[in-house]
Amino acid sequence: AEEEKKLPKPYVYATYFECDPTGEWRTDEIVETLIGPIYDAGVEDETIAGWGWMAHHTGGKWRRLLYRVSPSLEGLLDSMEKLDEKVSEKNEQASREVGRICDTHEDYIWQQVAGSAGEERGKAGFSMYLVCEMAREERADEIVKTVLAPIYDKYVTEGKLDSWGWLSHVVGGKWRRLA
């Protein structure tokens, strides 16, 4: 428990895109060839701690998700400005093309409450978004940390899960917790 308190709880800036399914291949291509190398360089120079581009499979309206990770909220917000500027400088036309294909988005900022820190994400993931009573969210966090975390950690150790996380809402819409 003492070690857990010492570890920084990273922040995640997540942009959930609603896209035209017929153009999703093109957004994936732009992320791979334009945005990805810039974000990889951001990880290398420690502007961000990590990032990812996820494709939707089942449920909800969003089709793609771009996320960036930083150990601090200030670092996360600063990194967004720096990285977005570099992407725009590199190819403004491609950035506009992504905006045409994915013309609606919603932004959230999450903070990790618990999880398998430092573990790589698996090739596929399952996310569960929860709307919670704000007055009881800390109780949900406590249950995850004391009851579920040991089980999930055991599954990671046994290789049954690659990683897991429990995140709390900082900024965004109605979803208050993310598993």
Side-chain angles (χ1 to χ4, degrees):
E2 283 302 312
E3 277 302 308
E4 183 181 318
K5 288 179 185 177
K6 293 177 188 176
L7 295 173
K9 300 295 183 190
Y11 288 84
V12 178
Y13 194 108
T15 302
Y16 299 84
F17 294 98
E18 292 182 36
C19 307
D20 174 357
T22 63
E24 289 171 349
W25 68 271
R26 178 65 180 139
T27 61
D28 296 342
E29 184 177 79
I30 291 168
V31 169
E32 184 178 333
T33 60
L34 170 69
I35 297 172
I38 292 169
Y39 278 41
D40 287 342
V43 171
E44 193 67 31
D45 70 15
E46 298 183 352
T47 299
I48 54 176
W51 75 279
W53 178 250
M54 299 169 67
H56 174 221
H57 184 276
T58 304
K61 293 180 182 180
W62 72 271
R63 302 292 304 167
R64 293 294 186 268
L65 165 64
L66 175 64
Y67 70 89
R68 285 80 50 180
V69 181
S70 178
S72 73
L73 184 55
E74 182 180 351
L76 184 66
L77 297 174
D78 288 346
S79 72
M80 297 295 303
E81 189 174 317
K82 290 176 190 173
L83 294 172
D84 288 348
E85 186 176 303
K86 288 179 182 179
V87 168
S88 292
E89 286 173 4
K90 190 80 171 170
N91 192 332
E92 193 170 322
Q93 182 180 347
S95 295
R96 281 196 306 268
E97 190 174 357
V98 170
R100 278 193 305 275
I101 297 166
C102 302
D103 64 350
T104 302
H105 74 275
E106 189 169 354
D107 297 316
Y108 273 79
I109 298 176
W110 300 99
Q111 184 177 26
Q112 184 175 357
V113 174
S116 53
E119 299 295 328
E120 291 290 321
R121 290 183 57 86
K123 291 184 183 208
F126 181 81
S127 300
M128 183 171 49
Y129 294 83
L130 299 117
V131 177
C132 305
E133 283 183 46
M134 290 175 68
R136 298 179 59 194
E137 290 173 341
E138 288 182 17
R139 178 67 179 133
D141 296 344
E142 180 184 339
I143 291 168
V144 169
K145 289 178 184 179
T146 59
V147 178
L148 299 177
I151 296 166
Y152 294 150
D153 288 340
K154 181 178 181 221
Y155 288 162
V156 170
T157 301
E158 294 173 351
K160 294 178 181 176
L161 283 177
D162 288 323
S163 63
W164 71 277
W166 178 255
L167 291 85
S168 68
H169 174 272
V170 177
V171 174
K174 68 180 183 178
W175 307 108
R176 300 293 302 170
R177 292 296 185 270
L178 166 57

